[in-house]
Amino acid sequence: RVGNGAFSGDYSLTTIDLENVEEIGDNAFASISNSNMRVTLGNKLTSIGSQAFYGSRMNEITIPGNVSYVGDSAFENCARLRTVTNLSSILSSLPTSCFANCTSLTTVSLGEKVTSIGDSAFSGDSSLVTVNATNITNIGSEAFKNTTKLSSINLSKVETFGKGAFYAAKGLTSLSLSSATIGDFAFLAASAVKTIDMPNVNYIGKQAFSGLDITTVDIPSTISYIGETAFYNNVKLASFTNFGMITSE
């Protein structure tokens, strides 16, 4: 085990070989600013603590298949991190702010068992283009806030979108949603979205779809609630069809 804060702030550290380590403590390798930093995680690893690599400058990370726990903000503010691959096959959720403000991150591949993405998990990842995920059912508040280049993510199984989940996600051009609850501000200012397919959505929070590029909206029969200003400032919206029994504020 590598203990809490064990190498935090060791600015000259370049090679971190954790091939035989089972646990990485909180802040263990935080704030290592060497731009040549290389990290190797071994298959014995089961746990990565909170802020374990916070603010460090590795370029890529592979999370081994036996990792069952990742703490909050484990890789937050890793500004040089470009790719996250082979995310643990047994990890079921990403914690709060796990990869927040990783401004160089372009691609993330999530394991098949990952079903939940925590609050602010990828918030501020301004270079993120692709999230490879197949079984996500819950996306937390502001999880992808200000991911301005995000253009590829599968949302078809998501049941709950938290508050501001995709706020200002300006790379998205279409939304295909399942029987979901759409939280307040969920897609506010996702200004490139032209189409929304939501045949089974049941709840739309306030300003959830405000500031988009849509021209038509079809409200399904499953809808029970639409919040105030839910479709506000959609200046091209010309056609609205309501098939639902709606209540509103």
Side-chain angles (χ1 to χ4, degrees):
R1 184 181 192 277
V2 179
N4 294 347
F7 296 93
S8 180
D10 287 355
Y11 306 118
S12 298
L13 195 60
T14 58
T15 302
I16 301 173
D17 188 345
L18 304 174
E19 194 68 40
N20 294 307
V21 171
E22 296 179 6
E23 297 181 25
I24 299 172
D26 298 347
N27 298 289
F29 297 97
S31 301
I32 297 175
S33 58
N34 194 310
S35 60
N36 295 314
M37 181 181 178
R38 299 290 184 273
V39 180
T40 302
L41 305 179
N43 289 326
K44 294 181 180 180
L45 186 67
T46 61
S47 176
I48 299 173
S50 297
Q51 297 189 340
F53 293 93
Y54 181 97
S56 290
R57 302 189 72 186
M58 78 281 281
N59 292 324
E60 59 183 359
I61 193 76
T62 298
I63 299 179
N66 291 320
V67 173
S68 59
Y69 174 80
V70 177
D72 292 350
S73 301
F75 300 95
E76 184 176 357
N77 283 339
C78 290
R80 293 177 63 90
L81 184 62
R82 293 193 300 267
T83 59
V84 178
T85 57
N86 298 329
L87 193 68
S88 172
S89 58
I90 63 174
L91 192 68
S92 62
S93 64
L94 291 185
T96 298
S97 300
C98 185
F99 295 101
N101 297 314
C102 293
T103 53
S104 297
L105 187 62
T106 60
T107 304
V108 175
S109 296
L110 304 181
E112 290 185 1
K113 292 193 175 180
V114 176
T115 59
S116 179
I117 296 176
D119 296 350
S120 302
F122 297 96
S123 179
D125 291 1
S126 54
S127 298
L128 186 62
V129 175
T130 302
V131 176
N132 295 314
T134 56
N135 294 309
I136 302 301
T137 59
N138 179 74
I139 296 178
S141 297
E142 299 185 356
F144 292 93
K145 179 181 179 181
N146 289 327
T147 52
T148 53
K149 294 182 180 178
L150 181 63
S151 59
S152 179
I153 182 170
N154 185 349
L155 303 177
S156 63
K157 295 182 181 179
V158 179
E159 298 171 359
T160 304
F161 292 88
K163 188 175 183 178
F166 288 88
Y167 175 85
K170 297 180 180 180
L172 296 175
T173 58
S174 63
L175 302 176
S176 180
L177 310 176
S178 65
S179 53
T181 296
I182 314 296
D184 296 347
F185 317 113
F187 295 94
L188 173 64
S191 55
V193 171
K194 295 181 181 298
T195 61
I196 304 173
D197 181 24
M198 50 178 181
N200 297 301
V201 166
N202 53 64
Y203 180 102
I204 299 173
K206 64 182 178 182
Q207 293 194 45
F209 296 114
S210 179
L212 310 186
D213 198 36
I214 55 176
T215 58
T216 63
V217 172
D218 292 333
I219 303 299
S221 59
T222 53
I223 201 74
S224 62
Y225 177 88
I226 296 179
E228 61 184 60
T229 60
F231 293 92
Y232 174 73
N233 200 31
N234 292 320
V235 296
K236 294 183 181 179
L237 183 58
S239 174
F240 174 89
T241 304
N242 170 27
F243 298 103
M245 297 297 293
I246 298 171
T247 62
S248 183
E249 294 179 349

